[in-house]
Amino acid sequence: MYMKKAIILKGATVTKFMWQNPHTLVLFDAKDDKGRVVHWAGETGSAGAIRLLGWNKYSLRPGDVITVYIWPSKFDAAAGRLEKIVLGSGRILRDSDREDQGDINRY
């Protein structure tokens, strides 16, 4: 399935934030359209790369409620490449400083 836009998961809860190389991972729970909790894995760039965009190892903590914009993997329904995360405060953490609508970052 070719997606033109990232999907949006509102009210997701961070379960683990793995600040690492070569890719930082955000594990989170989000409800599907039937209200069931789905365990997701979202990948970003390296810790060094996203640090330049304002992230740090304390940007996300277990229990944080976030809105996730993610390009789903074509191999796993509950995994993908993060486009951005919106924190409860409204702060936005992006995976890239490009505004390419995923044309370059597509997972």
Side-chain angles (χ1 to χ4, degrees), residues 7-76:
I7 62 169
I8 302 168
L9 303 169
K10 295 181 179 181
T13 303
V14 175
T15 58
K16 190 171 188 177
F17 181 45
M18 301 168 72
W19 182 256
Q20 62 189 24
N21 287 311
H23 300 277
T24 298
L25 296 175
V26 179
L27 306 181
F28 59 94
D29 291 340
K31 290 187 178 178
D32 66 12
D33 56 356
K34 294 187 172 117
R36 295 177 295 216
V37 173
V38 178
H39 307 292
W40 279 82
E43 177 184 66
T44 70
S46 68
I50 64 173
R51 179 186 309 262
L52 298 172
L53 299 172
W55 295 67
N56 65 53
K57 65 182 180 179
Y58 304 110
S59 292
L60 297 170
R61 297 185 184 266
D64 286 352
V65 178
I66 57 177
T67 299
V68 179
Y69 292 71
I70 191 167
W71 295 95
S73 167
K74 58 185 172 184
F75 303 109
D76 185 342

